[in-house]
Every structure is written in structure tokens, then in C-alpha cells.
Amino acid sequence: MAHLDAIDLKILQILQQNSQKTTKEIAAEVNLSTTPVYERIKRLEKDGVIKGYVAVLNPDMLNLGFSVFCNVKLVSHSTDAAIDFMNVVKDIPEVAECYSMAGAFDYLLKIYAPNMQYYREFVIEVLGRIKSIGSVTSTFVMAEVKRTSALPLNL
């Protein structure tokens, strides 16, 4: 783990809340001048602590408000089956997140779709064509209670 002091953590918290804040605004919040704050941010980026910056979009406003968690079991636990699955799923735009899991299922996918009909066709036409998949179990989101990409830096 990179060595981070209290100022680094505060900068990271500020950027997690609003990555569009200027270096000058961040500097004022951490009581430093802009140059050391700029240098700290560049170091955090170079060290890989900050992986990138994104805009958080509203899926409902983009007709993608139908969220599904999809549990996937592979046909076998072979290296070939896992590699095949991972290589294919990385290129599927509807899959927002993919996690390798321990337990009853091998992978957990978070999928965004416009509606149930689209998702049904997606399961048949897209997931159904992946030879390494043995079974799929879907859980549909009724309401989003909390969603954040922010990490709990105060632990």
C-alpha cells in the first residue's frame, strides 16, 4: 500500500465527492497552496491510487434503469472455461461489473438494460451463446437504496 498521510486522504475524499474541483479549491480545503496539492494529486495518479476520473450517469435518464444481478455458474472449474468466460464478458457493454466469486456461484454480473424484454433476449442471445456458462440465476433490483463508488477512507 502506498504511504498516505492525512492530507493525501483528505484530498482523496474531496476528489471522490467531486473530481471536478480545481486544485485551488482542494488546496483551500486542505490548507495548502496549490503547488503541493497539484504535486500530491499527480503522485497519487502516478502511484495508481487514483485510477481515473469518470462522470456518474443516471441510468434512468438513459433508458437503462432496469438493473439485474446475474449469478453465473460455469460448466466446469477449468482454467479454459474461466478464461473463455472472462474474455467474452469483458466485451459485453450491458455488463457494468463482473466479479469472480467464492460460494454457490462462480461469477456475479451487474447488468443494465432498458426493460425485462430486453434482458430476456440478452440472456438468450448473449449469455446463452457463451459456451463456458452452465447456468444463470437472475435477481432483479426493485429499488436502489445506496450506490457509491467512494471508498471509506476514514477506517
Side-chain angles (χ1 to χ4, degrees), residues 23-94:
T23 304
K24 184 178 179 180
E25 291 170 324
I26 296 168
E29 288 190 46
V30 298
N31 297 316
L32 288 176
S33 64
T34 56
T35 301
V37 169
Y38 175 82
E39 290 170 354
R40 283 172 179 264
I41 292 170
K42 289 302 168 195
R43 176 180 47 80
L44 292 165
E45 291 170 349
K46 182 178 123 322
D47 291 349
V49 176
I50 297 174
K51 293 175 64 173
Y53 301 90
V54 299
V56 179
L57 307 180
N58 182 339
D60 292 322
M61 298 295 291
L62 299 166
N63 194 30
L64 292 169
F66 190 74
S67 304
V68 182
F69 286 95
C70 179
N71 292 296
V72 174
K73 278 189 179 183
L74 299 182
V75 289
S76 75
H77 288 120
S78 71
T79 301
D80 290 342
I83 290 171
D84 174 60
F85 175 78
M86 289 185 290
N87 286 337
V88 173
V89 80
K90 286 178 187 176
D91 294 326
I92 300 172
E94 291 88 349

Side-chain angles (χ1 to χ4, degrees), residues 108-136:
L108 174 66
L109 309 178
K110 183 173 186 183
I111 298 169
Y112 288 103
N115 53 49
M116 175 66 87
Q117 178 63 28
Y118 184 98
Y119 181 71
R120 181 186 160 285
E121 292 170 11
F122 172 82
V123 169
I124 294 166
E125 297 296 326
V126 178
L127 296 182
R129 294 181 192 273
I130 302 174
K131 293 177 179 14
S132 55
I133 292 180
S135 66
V136 170

